[in-house]
Amino acid sequence: MSYLQATEDLYKEAALTPDVGLCCTTNPIWELPGLKIPKIMQEMNYGCGSTVHARDLSNNPKMLYVGVGGGMELLQFSYFNRQKGGVVGVDVVDEMLQASRDNFKIAETENDWFKSEFVDLKKGDALNLPVEDNSIDVAAQNCLFNIFKEEDLKRAIEEMYRVLKPHGKLVMSDPTCEQEMNETLRNDDRLRALCLSGSLPIKQYVKALTDVGFGTIEIRARKPYRILDPKNYPTDELIYIESIEVAAIKDPMPEDGPCVFTGKAAIYFGDEDYFDDNKGHVLLRNQPLAVCDKTAGALGSLGRDDIFISESTFHYDGGGCC
């Protein structure tokens, strides 16, 4: 049995018999006026963070969500686009698609604004999306891509890139791990399906996105997720896993490489009102400016004693240098 088949079987079981906290921490439940998340959706909340960010969702964007789970994030996305087929949900597991359909009927009774027709559910594979080129404003996946092995991950990201419009966003949440995992962990199909042993270091995760062509990467959150300990897992050392929330933007790739925001900021504290590096970055005195890692390196290389560059906070909320 392949690891992909093991994953399908696991989530078939999770669709038929909801398993609270099956593989992941629970997502934030958005508190928005008039939005009520049915209990069954919360029980089938199999993500490791949130891909729903209000600042991505203005002006009725066309949205795609891959790996539908119990439909919670599809419902949340629909809140921002109340049009027939405004949100497309894709999943390879028939039982999960049916569970979402059933849950949407419950959501209709609890939310007077919601209609099931707002979500277009499609049977499909993340490696071959049933979606047209350049047709999506915001695409998302939550705790799915970490399951894929290297070649499949590359293919899945390429598919998301293909369907996004220029300047469209791919918003993701996935487990990551900075420690080396042994081959036993890496090759355990169930642990991979449980969103544990496929976790990548953040730099490798970001590189997978920029290698496909995403010109801007935003790391929006980084938080504790899981521990793999020698008592319960095939490892000689304790392994710490975090989850990150990332947005990859289909911007043109700059000649000098991608703009990757890891939560760094630059502060100018010199004698003038501002500092201009003549490369498009103006620092107002004593006003922090979020900068991408590339700009942080360039400013740091100037050797000035009146510019401070912070360490990465792994939290970026927009308004940066690029």
Side-chain angles (χ1 to χ4, degrees):
M1 181 190 303
S2 72
Y3 82 96
L4 292 176
Q5 186 60 55
T7 301
E8 288 185 33
D9 292 345
L10 181 74
Y11 288 97
K12 175 181 176 179
E13 295 172 12
L16 296 173
T17 307
D19 187 353
V20 178
L22 166 70
C23 65
C24 313
T25 55
T26 53
N27 297 3
I29 307 300
W30 275 69
E31 299 289 341
L32 295 168
L35 173 62
K36 185 173 182 181
I37 308 295
K39 182 179 178 182
I40 185 62
M41 286 186 174
Q42 297 182 42
E43 292 175 348
M44 297 179 70
N45 179 9
Y46 302 140
C48 62
S50 179
T51 62
V52 183
H53 297 265
R55 68 183 177 90
D56 300 330
L57 303 175
S58 60
N59 301 316
N60 296 318
K62 180 77 171 183
M63 288 171 273
L64 167 68
Y65 190 75
V66 182
V68 300
M72 188 182 81
E73 287 193 280
L74 289 164
L75 174 63
Q76 293 173 342
F77 279 126
S78 295
Y79 184 89
F80 296 92
N81 185 336
R82 306 180 186 189
Q83 302 178 40
K84 183 176 181 179
V87 181
V88 178
V90 174
D91 206 298
V92 73
V93 180
D94 290 317
E95 292 80 5
M96 198 64 82
L97 289 167
Q98 187 58 51
S100 288
R101 292 188 185 97
D102 295 341
N103 293 346
F104 289 150
K105 294 299 183 184
I106 299 172
E108 283 184 340
T109 67
E110 298 185 11
N111 296 272
D112 57 12
W113 58 269
F114 177 70
K115 298 179 181 179
S116 293
E117 66 180 22
F118 292 167
V119 183
D120 181 11
L121 289 173
K122 295 186 177 186
K123 172 72 176 288
D125 190 329
L127 308 182
N128 295 281
L129 292 172
V131 180
E132 295 180 358
D133 296 358
N134 304 308
S135 62
I136 299 295
D137 295 296
V138 178
Q141 66 83 20
N142 196 331
C143 212
L144 170 63
F145 281 14
N146 75 99
I147 294 172
F148 292 134
K149 295 184 179 180
E150 184 176 0
E151 286 304 311
D152 290 334
L153 175 60
K154 181 175 184 293
R155 176 63 181 168
I157 296 172
E158 287 174 341
E159 277 293 275
M160 289 292 213
Y161 189 89
R162 174 183 66 81
V163 303
L164 281 170
K165 297 176 182 178
H167 307 293
K169 294 181 180 180
L170 169 57
V171 187
M172 303 181 293
S173 179
D174 272 308
T176 61
C177 182
E178 299 304 314
Q179 294 168 262
E180 188 71 29
M181 287 198 192
N182 63 49
E183 289 303 306
T184 301
L185 286 170
R186 289 291 189 200
N187 293 323
D188 187 310
D189 291 348
R190 183 170 177 81
L191 291 180
R192 187 172 280 273
L194 287 169
C195 304
L196 294 172
S197 62
S199 306
L200 297 174
I202 291 175
K203 285 186 177 180
Q204 190 174 339
Y205 186 91
V206 169
K207 187 176 186 300
L209 295 166
T210 57
D211 281 352
V212 168
F214 286 100
T216 302
I217 308 295
E218 302 177 352
I219 297 181
R220 296 177 168 181
R222 178 180 181 180
K223 49 198 174 185
Y225 175 66
R226 283 287 195 275
I227 292 292
L228 304 184
D229 66 281
K231 184 177 179 180
N232 295 291
Y233 298 92
T235 174
D236 294 329
E237 64 172 340
L238 186 146
I239 296 177
Y240 172 54
I241 301 176
E242 298 173 296
S243 68
I244 59 170
E245 296 174 11
V246 175
I249 304 172
K250 192 177 176 179
D251 288 337
M253 182 65 68
E255 291 184 4
D256 58 351
C259 295
V260 180
F261 289 88
T262 62
K264 292 185 177 183
I267 303 176
Y268 168 66
F269 54 95
D271 296 330
E272 306 298 325
D273 290 336
Y274 63 90
F275 170 78
D276 186 345
D277 71 350
N278 296 313
K279 295 181 180 179
H281 311 112
V282 177
L283 305 178
L284 300 179
R285 187 171 57 192
N286 291 323
Q287 297 296 313
L289 175 69
V291 292
C292 70
D293 290 6
K294 184 174 58 179
T295 298
L299 291 172
S301 69
L302 297 177
R304 296 181 64 102
D305 61 3
D306 55 4
I307 295 178
F308 173 82
I309 308 293
S310 75
E311 297 294 326
S312 296
T313 62
F314 297 97
H315 174 77
Y316 174 70
D317 215 13
C321 64
C322 302

